[in-house]
Amino acid sequence: MVRTTVTVIKADVGSVAGHHRPHQKMIDYAKRKLAEAEETGLLKSFYVYSIGDDIGLVMTHHRGEGDSEIHKLAWDTFKEITEKIAKPLKLYGAGQDLLKESFSGNVRGMGPGVAELEFEERASDPIVVFAADKTEPGAWNLPLYKIFADPFNTAGLVIDPKLHEGFIFEIVNIREGTKVKLKAPEELYDILGLLGTPGTYCVSKVYRASDGEPAAAASISRLSLLAGRYVGKDEPVLIVRAQSGFPAIGEILAPFAIPYLVAGWMRGSHNGPLMPVSFRKHSAISFFDGPPRVIAMGWQIADGKLVGVDGVEPADLFDDPFWDYSRQLASQIAIYMRTMGEFMPARLEPSELEYTTLPQILKRLEKKFELIK
Ligand code: F6R
Ligand code: MG
């Protein structure tokens, strides 16, 4: 049986109207570049999306995770878009997420975000790729917990014998570069103890406990930690397999109904509600550079290729009147959070602000402080 890999690599390499959205020429360039790679046989199929000021490349192939050719293709695409389009048009933040000058085998640690999942194709293999804007990788902790560990969200954990044995969470400490595998339901409280601190602990992979099948993969890099300064938020991506022994599509989408608070809104320094939106209609940000948002793209994987509703065009999973309610709620929460201005917890706590510009402002005050006698 052939194994197929889904690789999603994304970067913000410049945008129009400040941080609003990429230029169409950038998207078209990425499509041409990946189409060439499809012709040579490097890629089996691809899809180019944008959310906020980010461009994402969804690629399928048979070369496994972390393949240097696939990573180089993505790196070159973002580099060429920067040099040929973003810089000449003076787009905002041209080349922003490309932290290194030259490619060295893998884009991990170089700025772009990566999520990859290699698996043996089932008779029918549905996947969902989520992409978020104005937030960080830990934003997936809450929905991943609900999808794979909460029976009040995922009925299959109770009802379906294949899900009943639970799931294994691979959790990374992104500040220290360590990881741990914990199993739900047995180690649920330990899992929650870590996932509740999303600025430090992020889920990188989820496996089905009964047979070790990969179920989900998330991007885990934090740009600010890589660069040592604030260079923009990370707009994380997440790949989840669905149905027939994995959570149903509806169970995978359900955690997004009540917009939960995530870090990364405006200047990477605020908490805001994560709003589920249609990628065709609402993927660019506006109110207070937000609010943070998430899109959900659905495909089948067949013989190594993405199968969408029309060619590779994915199903737009948050384009349903149901989600209008969640969007309304997100708008209300967003306005409510803004009434707090620069007070925590609307503004992030100091350790999360480490690399933004506020510490530079406060540094000037240091000399004015006197000891209390
Ligand atoms: C960008 C973002 C924005 C910017 C803000 C200030 O992804 O989150 O909220 O941080 O617009 O940007 P500068 O400092 O570039 O003017
Ligand atoms: Mg950005």
Side-chain angles (χ1 to χ4, degrees):
M1 252 312 211
V2 265
R3 292 178 71 78
T4 296
T5 307
V6 179
T7 299
V8 186
I9 302 184
K10 43 113 289 183
D12 174 354
V13 288
S15 43
V16 173
H19 291 284
H20 183 63
R21 56 167 297 172
H23 194 288
Q24 189 57 39
K25 278 189 176 167
M26 302 165 85
I27 309 274
D28 294 342
Y29 190 95
K31 285 184 184 165
R32 282 200 304 278
K33 183 93 181 163
L34 298 195
E36 283 167 20
E38 194 181 60
E39 262 167 44
T40 66
L42 179 64
L43 294 182
K44 290 290 287 179
S45 69
F46 69 88
Y47 183 74
V48 180
Y49 70 84
S50 72
I51 177 160
D53 44 11
D54 248 46
I55 294 175
L57 315 175
V58 182
M59 302 172 282
T60 63
H61 54 92
H62 293 308
R63 304 175 64 90
E65 295 175 18
D67 181 77
S68 63
E69 296 267 322
I70 301 290
H71 281 228
K72 184 170 188 314
L73 172 66
W75 177 264
D76 289 347
T77 304
F78 289 125
K79 196 83 192 154
E80 287 165 28
I81 289 174
T82 302
E83 298 305 327
K84 295 184 182 173
I85 301 163
K87 283 187 179 169
L89 291 179
K90 290 177 75 174
L91 297 186
Y92 201 70
Q96 175 188 290
D97 288 0
L98 307 180
L99 304 179
K100 302 271 160 68
E101 272 311 307
S102 55
F103 181 74
S104 57
N106 193 304
V107 293
R108 278 189 203 281
M110 300 185 72
V114 192
E116 294 187 279
L117 202 60
E118 185 191 18
F119 52 87
E120 197 173 288
E121 277 180 33
R122 296 171 290 164
S124 180
D125 226 308
I127 62 157
V128 181
V129 173
F130 291 98
D133 186 34
K134 299 294 170 272
T135 186
E136 59 183 12
W140 304 128
N141 287 4
L142 187 149
L144 282 172
Y145 163 73
K146 284 194 164 180
I147 295 165
F148 291 106
D150 181 1
F152 273 65
N153 179 83
T154 300
L157 293 169
V158 180
I159 292 169
D160 186 333
K162 285 202 194 130
L163 277 75
H164 201 81
E165 279 186 47
F167 287 87
I168 295 163
F169 287 69
E170 181 182 86
I171 301 169
V172 173
N173 179 330
I174 53 172
R175 292 178 191 274
E176 297 189 347
T178 53
K179 63 180 181 182
V180 63
K181 277 188 180 169
L182 296 170
K183 183 178 177 302
E186 291 84 346
E187 297 172 294
L188 210 54
Y189 301 158
D190 292 340
I191 291 173
L192 281 173
L194 299 180
L195 297 192
T197 311
T200 300
Y201 298 102
C202 303
V203 180
S204 52
K205 284 264 164 81
V206 179
Y207 301 93
R208 186 162 59 193
S210 59
D211 55 5
E213 263 299 290
S219 60
I220 53 164
S221 58
R222 270 189 66 175
L223 277 172
S224 58
L225 297 181
L226 291 175
R229 66 192 148 84
Y230 178 68
V231 282
K233 272 286 166 181
D234 309 280
E235 288 109 7
V237 288
L238 169 68
I239 308 167
V240 185
R241 294 174 78 194
Q243 310 285 162
S244 298
F246 290 113
I249 293 281
E251 291 166 336
I252 292 168
L253 301 179
F256 297 93
I258 304 292
Y260 55 96
L261 296 176
V262 295
W265 190 12
M266 181 54 91
R267 298 176 185 273
S269 304
H270 297 83
N271 282 312
L274 189 65
M275 183 165 75
V277 296
S278 153
F279 59 81
R280 294 209 180 92
K281 298 178 195 152
H282 306 299
S283 72
I285 48 98
S286 70
F287 172 65
F288 197 59
D289 284 1
R293 64 200 54 212
V294 55
I295 58 173
M297 299 169 278
W299 285 282
Q300 293 293 128
I301 300 293
D303 303 321
K305 291 185 178 173
L306 294 165
V307 175
V309 288
D310 183 10
V312 289
E313 194 60 31
D316 191 353
L317 297 170
F318 288 135
D319 186 18
D320 177 295
F322 171 85
W323 300 99
D324 291 344
Y325 172 78
S326 309
R327 290 189 271 272
Q328 282 294 323
L329 205 51
S331 301
Q332 282 171 21
I333 298 168
I335 287 169
Y336 166 74
M337 293 299 283
R338 288 311 306 139
T339 62
M340 290 192 66
E342 296 314 292
F343 283 77
M344 284 170 52
R347 198 212 71 198
L348 299 186
E349 53 136 321
S351 74
E352 289 292 318
L353 286 173
E354 210 171 332
Y355 296 115
T356 63
T357 39
L358 183 62
Q360 296 162 29
I361 302 273
L362 296 181
K363 198 143 187 66
R364 284 193 294 122
L365 288 180
E366 265 172 25
K367 289 190 272 320
K368 289 193 167 186
F369 274 90
E370 302 170 15
L371 221 51
I372 302 167
K373 297 211 175 84

